[in-house]
Amino acid sequence: MTAKIKYKFGRALQRWSDFTTDEKIITVCAIALFLPYFLVAVPSLFAILRALFSSEVRRRMTAVSSSGYIYAAIPILIFPALLFRNWLGIFGGAVIWLMLVFMLYLFTVMRVRFYNNIIDLMLLLSMAAMAVGVADRLLYWLFDIKIFIVLGRTSSVFWNPNFYGYMIELFVLMALYRFEKRHSPWYLVILFANLGSILLCDCRTAWAALGAALLFYAVHYKHNVKWVVVTMLITVSLVILILLVPMFSGRLASNIINYDVDKRSKIWGDAIHWIRQRPVFGYGMDAYREICIRTHAKRVRWHSHNIILNLMLDFGVAGLAYFSAMIGRIIKVLNKPQFCVIYSQIRSLIMVAGLATLIHGVTDVPILGIQTGLALIFIVSGCSVERNERVFKRLNNFCEIYEK
């Protein structure tokens, strides 16, 4: 066993030494997703600064077809907050733009092997996050000690339980993608371990989003009755567990459900009312919070608890059109015949992760966190592998001809 561990460790070191500078920076950024919340931004900011101030990286970024969309986002993200004098919104808009620059930076680097390495790394770290969550829950049960426990719900190393629930959705889908690729039982262990963790964080929206995403994957991509049956059995088993075990069913009490429905209805109604007042450009990032403060609301909330309403409240119809165009461009790349044939598994991962995000986004805005937003960006960056593999092959062919 010791010899095997040394061999694995030696391979990991060799793989690290083979990485380019960009790949090493991105790897550190992936690891940082599992650090305490505000430390996440440190390596990511370093990567962004490299992308903005390195002429060689800027040249590669400009060559990406979607680069124009990223630079065009500045007025859409910043000006509404300036017009509304939403000073925190200016900072928030700048953060979103920097995350888009980070995404463009990833688009210049991601190739298939590196993409898979990053996903393997994140899956390995998800087990560490699960261990933190379980230990935290045990401390809460045994000694009533709260470290990352929020209202009796586990958040592990993430900002809150809802963010952890969304991260688990992505971990499960990534584990399924890697199992389909390599058929290693360890990926199934990671998959089911994270399914168990989704009970600890007690995020009901995550249960629904993940169940719908897995069912869509089974029906649309596998075309196999076995996959549908297995998915349904897992879903039914989890529902039974949630209903029978008190610690999981507490938030399903009728009064809590009614309270949550009424709360969401009021939030959505307020958001729609405010959107009608400034429908074109919105109020800037974190608009819901800013308006709550200015109207002296009893409780200040950070967002509209719906991804579409929140987008329109922050950036108006202009922002909705902008992000819809960007998503459409990514889908166009994913639907290229060559991408569908050669990289069909990456395509299915991106599409199913996007579906889970949209379903979760009906009652929450899961991508507002730095950790959650960057995790989705890492998955979406797989849309660039076809282009990068083609460019890499062309460069290799050129080098071979030049050497001759």
Side-chain angles (χ1 to χ4, degrees):
M1 179 64 70
T2 305
K4 188 174 182 180
I5 292 175
K6 287 183 178 179
Y7 173 73
K8 292 282 188 182
F9 185 70
R11 282 190 62 188
L13 288 178
Q14 181 60 44
R15 187 174 297 177
W16 173 260
S17 64
D18 292 339
F19 280 173
T20 64
T21 301
D22 292 325
E23 289 174 339
K24 289 178 179 178
I25 292 172
I26 290 171
T27 301
V28 173
C29 291
I31 296 172
L33 294 183
F34 298 83
L35 295 177
Y37 193 70
F38 294 106
L39 294 178
V40 175
V42 176
S44 301
L45 184 59
F46 178 79
I48 292 167
L49 291 175
R50 172 176 169 78
L52 291 175
F53 294 102
S54 169
S55 58
E56 190 272 332
V57 176
R58 285 204 313 272
R59 179 186 58 79
R60 286 191 280 118
M61 289 169 59
T62 304
V64 177
S65 60
S66 58
S67 61
Y69 281 87
I70 305 301
Y71 298 120
I74 296 176
I76 294 174
L77 299 175
I78 302 297
F79 286 169
L82 279 173
L83 294 174
F84 191 60
R85 296 184 180 180
N86 176 6
W87 310 126
L88 185 62
I90 296 173
F91 175 76
V95 169
I96 291 182
W97 184 76
L98 291 176
M99 291 178 72
L100 292 177
V101 173
F102 181 80
M103 180 177 71
L104 188 59
Y105 179 44
L106 287 187
F107 281 5
T108 68
V109 178
M110 281 297 175
R111 293 175 55 217
V112 175
R113 184 176 181 182
F114 181 59
Y115 184 74
N116 291 335
N117 287 338
I118 289 293
I119 287 181
D120 284 344
L121 176 63
M122 293 175 69
L123 289 175
L124 182 64
L125 293 173
S126 77
M127 298 297 286
M130 182 203 69
V132 171
V134 171
D136 199 28
R137 179 56 68 99
L138 289 175
L139 287 174
Y140 176 62
W141 284 341
L142 298 176
F143 308 106
D144 198 26
I145 297 175
K146 300 178 182 179
I147 301 177
F148 302 110
I149 296 288
V150 179
L151 298 176
R153 301 165 61 198
T154 301
S155 57
S156 185
V157 295
F158 304 97
W159 183 250
N160 63 47
N162 292 325
F163 283 176
Y164 186 32
Y166 176 68
M167 291 295 288
I168 290 173
E169 294 172 40
L170 300 183
F171 295 150
V172 170
L173 296 175
M174 286 189 285
L176 181 60
Y177 158 74
R178 292 300 284 149
F179 176 74
E180 283 286 282
K181 196 134 181 109
R182 298 190 61 182
H183 299 287
S184 170
W186 287 109
Y187 291 114
L188 288 181
V189 172
I190 294 173
L191 190 154
F192 284 104
N194 278 296
L195 279 177
S197 297
I198 209 170
L199 296 175
L200 295 178
C201 72
D202 198 13
C203 179
R204 293 162 298 178
T205 309
W207 303 340
L210 183 58
L214 290 175
L215 188 60
F216 174 79
Y217 178 84
V219 174
H220 185 71
Y221 290 111
K222 298 306 295 182
H223 306 290
N224 192 321
V225 176
K226 178 184 71 175
W227 278 89
V228 178
V229 171
V230 169
T231 302
M232 293 182 68
L233 285 175
I234 293 173
T235 304
V236 170
S237 300
L238 289 176
V239 169
I240 292 174
L241 181 63
I242 292 166
L243 294 176
L244 293 181
V245 180
M247 69 177 182
F248 297 137
S249 60
R251 295 183 76 229
L252 294 178
S254 59
N255 60 328
I256 294 179
I257 292 178
N258 292 336
Y259 169 76
D260 282 349
V261 170
D262 292 342
K263 179 178 68 177
R264 290 292 194 277
S265 299
K266 184 181 184 308
I267 292 171
W268 295 338
D270 290 341
I272 292 171
H273 172 69
W274 294 330
I275 288 170
R276 286 174 177 170
Q277 295 179 16
R278 297 174 71 101
V280 180
F281 298 110
Y283 302 82
M285 187 68 184
D286 296 325
Y288 198 97
R289 173 187 176 277
E290 183 67 21
I291 297 174
C292 283
I293 292 174
R294 296 190 187 189
T295 56
H296 305 288
K298 292 182 179 179
R299 180 172 178 180
V300 176
R301 301 184 186 278
W302 279 89
H303 55 76
S304 308
H305 285 275
N306 178 279
I307 199 166
I308 303 298
L309 291 179
N310 202 77
L311 180 60
M312 292 192 67
L313 185 65
D314 288 354
F315 308 116
V317 176
L320 181 63
Y322 168 79
F323 284 102
S324 298
M326 179 179 290
I327 293 171
R329 197 167 186 85
I330 292 173
I331 293 175
K332 183 179 178 181
V333 172
L334 296 176
N335 287 334
K336 287 182 178 179
Q338 187 173 0
F339 200 105
C340 292
V341 173
I342 303 177
Y343 307 105
S344 59
Q345 291 176 329
I346 293 178
R347 179 180 183 272
S348 63
L349 171 61
I350 296 173
M351 297 294 281
V352 175
L355 176 64
T357 302
L358 287 176
I359 295 173
H360 198 135
V362 172
T363 61
D364 206 347
V365 189
I367 56 175
L368 276 183
I370 295 177
Q371 293 160 305
T372 53
L374 289 178
L376 182 62
I377 285 174
F378 270 106
I379 291 178
V380 172
S381 66
C383 71
S384 64
V385 296
E386 188 269 336
R387 172 193 173 275
N388 292 336
E389 293 287 355
R390 180 165 26 91
V391 171
F392 182 76
K393 185 177 180 181
R394 189 188 308 142
L395 288 174
N396 277 352
N397 292 338
F398 175 79
C399 291
E400 290 175 3
I401 295 172
Y402 181 78
E403 290 174 358
K404 290 179 181 179

